[in-house]
Amino acid sequence: MTDCRIGVVGAAGRMGRVLLRLAATTPGYRLAAGSERPGAAELGRDLGSLAGMEPLGLILGDNAEAVFAASDAVLDFTTPSAALAHAALAAASGKAHVIGTTGIDAAGEAKLAEAAAGAPIVYAGNMSLGVNLLAELVTQVARSLDPAWDIEIIEMHHRHKVDAPSGTALLLGRAAAAGRNVKLEEVAERGRDGITGARKSGTIGFTALRGGDVVGEHSVIFATEGERIELTHKATSREIFARGALRAARWAAGRKPGLYAMKDVLGL
Ligand code: NAD
């Protein structure tokens, strides 16, 4: 099996550096190139040193198009606007694009679907095996329980996170809504504050906590009169997302164009 050539956009970010290290050190993968936004302080640095390793002779540039050209698959944990610009490059090059970036709105997601006509794109608010298994469980539980069970989703992340609720919380919310055969957009209850009135039956509530260095914790709570079920996932290392992203890269490289989820990659 030939090595899967990996490109990393947003390579100097928290996830970017972990992706660089795992792409360079995991058997079956080869780190091919990395980029950052124009003006980033790290431009010109060696990708190996950036990831806390020996220099690799690969230099961080600001040309994402060159990253797509040099890679079989490009990993993207950046910002919504950057990820959409990168998806257009994926469509133009036909190269696989693995998007872990969260906070992309509905209009942005429609653009991703358009780009996916020209390239295989894996898009997932969480790339870990554990969370994707949890999502399957959440669908099953939501399907088994009647709507008298209230569903609440609580998440906590580090103080630097810029979007809320997290992409993972939304993924779990969608999984719960799917189990009830409803659309999350129609039942989501976000940001309660003040005199909100009693809880509306059938809604799915979201609460976001931010603080410290928490990598990511999510609980889906099913509550009814007299009992409660809580399903929880705790991430203690960003490597779980990076490993999932590499797996998605190999799965997507050379596959026919389309918009895929981690569920497809993991065969769940
Ligand atoms: P971060 O801010 O540390 O890193 C983002 C990087 O992208 C920064 O270095 C930034 O300079 C760079 N960037 C911005 N615009 C760019 C452009 N046009 N071209 C190239 N690079 C650009 O953030 P982070 O903690 O690494 O998270 C990044 C994203 O990944 C967030 O949306 C986060 O929610 C998401 N995330 C997803 C998963 C998952 O499993 N799906 C896991 C962790 C984080």
Side-chain angles (χ1 to χ4, degrees), residues 165-182:
S166 70
T168 303
L170 292 170
L171 181 156
L172 294 171
R174 260 182 226 115
R180 281 190 168 168
N181 273 323
V182 294

Side-chain angles (χ1 to χ4, degrees), residues 7 21 53 59 69 77 82-83 132 153 164 193 204 208 214 244 249 254-255:
R21 181 163 53 78
M53 307 182 300
I59 299 303
F77 290 69
N132 285 282
I153 300 178
D193 187 22
I204 298 178
V214 178
R255 193 167 288 268

Side-chain angles (χ1 to χ4, degrees), residues 172-209:
L172 294 171
R174 260 182 226 115
R180 281 190 168 168
N181 273 323
V182 294
K183 284 208 169 74
L184 179 62
E185 293 67 32
E186 288 163 12
V187 296
E189 178 105 33
R190 292 162 63 156
R192 293 190 191 102
D193 187 22
I195 311 292
T196 58
R199 191 182 196 287
K200 225 171 106 201
S201 171
T203 53
I204 298 178
F206 290 87
T207 304
L209 312 180

Side-chain angles (χ1 to χ4, degrees), residues 134 151-157 165-166 168-170 172-173 189 192 204-210 214 216-222 228 230-234:
L134 175 63
I151 304 179
E152 292 284 311
I153 300 178
I154 301 185
E155 50 114 339
M156 179 156 187
H157 282 84
S166 70
T168 303
L170 292 170
L172 294 171
E189 178 105 33
R192 293 190 191 102
I204 298 178
F206 290 87
T207 304
L209 312 180
R210 295 288 175 265
V214 178
E217 300 190 357
H218 296 84
S219 288
V220 182
I221 301 171
F222 297 87
R228 193 159 86 225
E230 300 192 3
L231 299 176
T232 298
H233 179 270
K234 296 185 181 186

Side-chain angles (χ1 to χ4, degrees), residues 25-188:
T25 56
T26 306
Y29 297 89
R30 183 151 60 80
L31 180 61
S35 71
E36 256 296 333
R37 66 183 162 76
E42 299 84 357
L43 290 176
R45 283 191 56 188
D46 184 277
L47 297 185
S49 332
L50 202 55
M53 307 182 300
E54 292 298 309
L56 294 167
L58 296 167
I59 299 303
L60 182 69
D62 63 3
N63 183 350
E65 199 173 349
V67 174
F68 275 89
S71 312
D72 298 314
V74 174
L75 312 182
D76 187 324
F77 290 69
T78 58
T79 64
S81 60
L84 293 182
H86 294 144
L89 296 176
S93 64
K95 295 291 181 66
H97 189 195
V98 175
I99 305 176
T101 305
T102 61
I104 299 175
D105 62 13
E109 288 185 343
K111 286 198 180 126
L112 286 187
E114 275 171 35
I121 297 182
V122 180
Y123 169 54
N126 193 299
M127 299 265 166
S128 80
L129 176 61
V131 159
N132 285 282
L133 283 172
L134 175 63
E136 291 302 301
L137 291 176
V138 166
T139 300
Q140 276 179 32
V141 175
R143 188 176 292 133
S144 313
L145 300 174
D146 67 58
W149 287 76
D150 301 323
I151 304 179
E152 292 284 311
I153 300 178
I154 301 185
E155 50 114 339
M156 179 156 187
H157 282 84
H158 54 88
R159 60 164 70 106
H160 304 287
K161 185 163 180 62
V162 295
D163 54 317
S166 70
T168 303
L170 292 170
L171 181 156
L172 294 171
R174 260 182 226 115
R180 281 190 168 168
N181 273 323
V182 294
K183 284 208 169 74
L184 179 62
E185 293 67 32
E186 288 163 12
V187 296

